[in-house]
Amino acid sequence: MLLKTAIGEVSGLRYMVDKLEIQSSLANRVLLSTEFITQTNALETELNHVQQMLTALDNPIQVNAIDKITIKLMQVRDIHGSIKNLAGANVLDDIELFEVKSMALLASDIKKFLAEAKINIVTIPDLTKVIELLDPENTRIPSFYIYDIYSPSLGAIRKQIKQKKTEIEQQRQENSINLPSLEKELEQTRYAATQLEDEVRQTISTKLREHHEALKHALDNIATHDIMIAKAKQAKAMGLCKPTVSIDRTIFRKVFYPQLRDMHQEQGKRYQPIDIELESNPCLITGANMAGKTVVLKTVALSQYLFQFGFFIPAAEAIICPVKAILFSLDDEQSELSGLSSFAAEMLKINHIIKSAKSNHNILVLIDELARTTNPYEGRAIVTAVTNILTEHHVRSLITTHYSNLGTSCHKLRVKGFMENHASGTITKENIGEFIDYSLVEDDGITVPQEALKIAEILGVDAEIIEKAQAEIVRHKETTKE
């Protein structure tokens, strides 16, 4: 999977990508073409590069060089098309030659500033030969021109053109009968100059072709530095951490959902990060509605994707095991299939997940409110069956559910939920979120929070509904005792 594909599927990922201060369209294209990394060594290398740049941002001398690099990155254009033409034995036109010259000069400057900052992430090739070819007069000006120095014959013909123009102007003032003949000679001379210029372009393109691989590598590596600087600045600004790559476990300490946290901060509201550990088996999370179970899944999904696309993680600490794929069934991201009920669409998604789990254990499965659209009796049975299958195949999974006391031996957690003493002041529908404790605790199957009616009452739901619902709860308890 490429990052540009994941952006459309993973909640919160576009927000993180949009927050990157990418300087060039080149780097943006390269970033979006980033592949989902599954190899441990590749992940460690990518994260170490971000860390190296992040460390540099704390050093005044290095920051000064990075600022210079950033200015140069703003001027970089994506010239893969011109380089491709060069590799294909095509003759470059003046615009393409200008693009190559400009990029070579920028690459040379960036290479120099990187050396000043002692940043060794990826090497930018030495393009001195390219610069010498396209800047024979050593002006270091990025504009391109077919200089006379390329061809002595061309220089001589251009002098002839200048002389003939002067002569024609004089003859025109004198109304000379020789004017048509002189103008014809001028056009012939211009044509000869054009022929020589084409020969020069052919010669330059042929010589440049020897350097097309170096040019391509320079372009790619410039983009890499642009991306690494952006990732490092984002990590610093948003308080992200470098995750440790693991082979068997995933642990998040104070992990948060950046977009939601930023929104809460803008509104002056409290945001509560959470701790969670994922073993090589399913984990069930229960809790009342409004308790943030869906946000937990989205946060884990986002963090895993960020990790495997080489980003730092929105957490205080993180140890993450890379997976081959992330499969999820989230209610607000469900694609309704034509002609099917929501339950049928969900079951087809779950069926795909189970088939994948049976064939590849190294996946991460995230399911929100499994079997939420069917009756409680069958819903509990489906949750139990799916969880037991995932347990049998040792699939790292996180499943939220509103069913309690399920007949499965998997790890169970519960969101603490509504706590009247969690914040100070009077509880209202505007601030009720301040009184919810989003911490995850072990679910012993005995303590079952019953807070739905309390929340409904705070939200101003009709008192008769609350009263009759409470009476039904009492009746059910008495019937159960009998």
Side-chain angles (χ1 to χ4, degrees), residues 135-204:
D135 187 26
E137 296 181 351
N138 194 30
T139 62
R140 303 290 293 187
I141 298 173
S143 59
F144 179 77
Y145 176 69
I146 302 294
Y147 301 98
D148 291 350
I149 197 173
Y150 285 126
S151 168
S153 299
L154 180 59
I157 288 180
R158 283 174 172 170
K159 287 181 180 179
Q160 292 178 25
I161 292 173
K162 187 176 181 180
Q163 292 171 354
K164 289 184 182 299
K165 283 182 177 180
T166 301
E167 188 176 352
I168 287 172
E169 184 59 31
Q170 292 175 347
Q171 294 292 331
R172 184 174 287 117
Q173 291 176 2
E174 297 173 1
N175 293 321
S176 172
I177 59 173
N178 295 326
L179 191 60
S181 175
L182 289 172
E183 289 177 339
K184 184 177 181 180
E185 290 178 8
L186 176 60
E187 287 305 312
Q188 291 174 339
T189 307
R190 281 174 169 168
Y191 179 76
T194 300
Q195 292 291 100
L196 285 174
E197 288 172 354
D198 288 342
E199 291 177 9
V200 170
R201 293 186 187 94
Q202 173 75 58
T203 300
I204 292 174

Side-chain angles (χ1 to χ4, degrees), residues 452-466:
L453 292 182
K454 180 65 176 177
I455 292 175
E457 184 179 0
I458 294 169
L459 293 174
V461 172
D462 191 288
E464 186 177 0
I465 296 176
I466 307 296

Side-chain angles (χ1 to χ4, degrees), residues 347-362:
M347 286 301 99
L348 288 179
K349 176 69 71 88
I350 297 303
N351 186 56
H352 170 68
I353 288 174
I354 293 301
K355 283 185 175 181
S356 299
K358 288 181 177 181
S359 60
N360 184 358
H361 302 171
N362 189 24

Side-chain angles (χ1 to χ4, degrees), residues 127-143:
L127 299 180
T128 301
K129 295 295 183 183
V130 173
I131 295 172
E132 289 175 351
L133 183 60
L134 296 174
D135 187 26
E137 296 181 351
N138 194 30
T139 62
R140 303 290 293 187
I141 298 173
S143 59

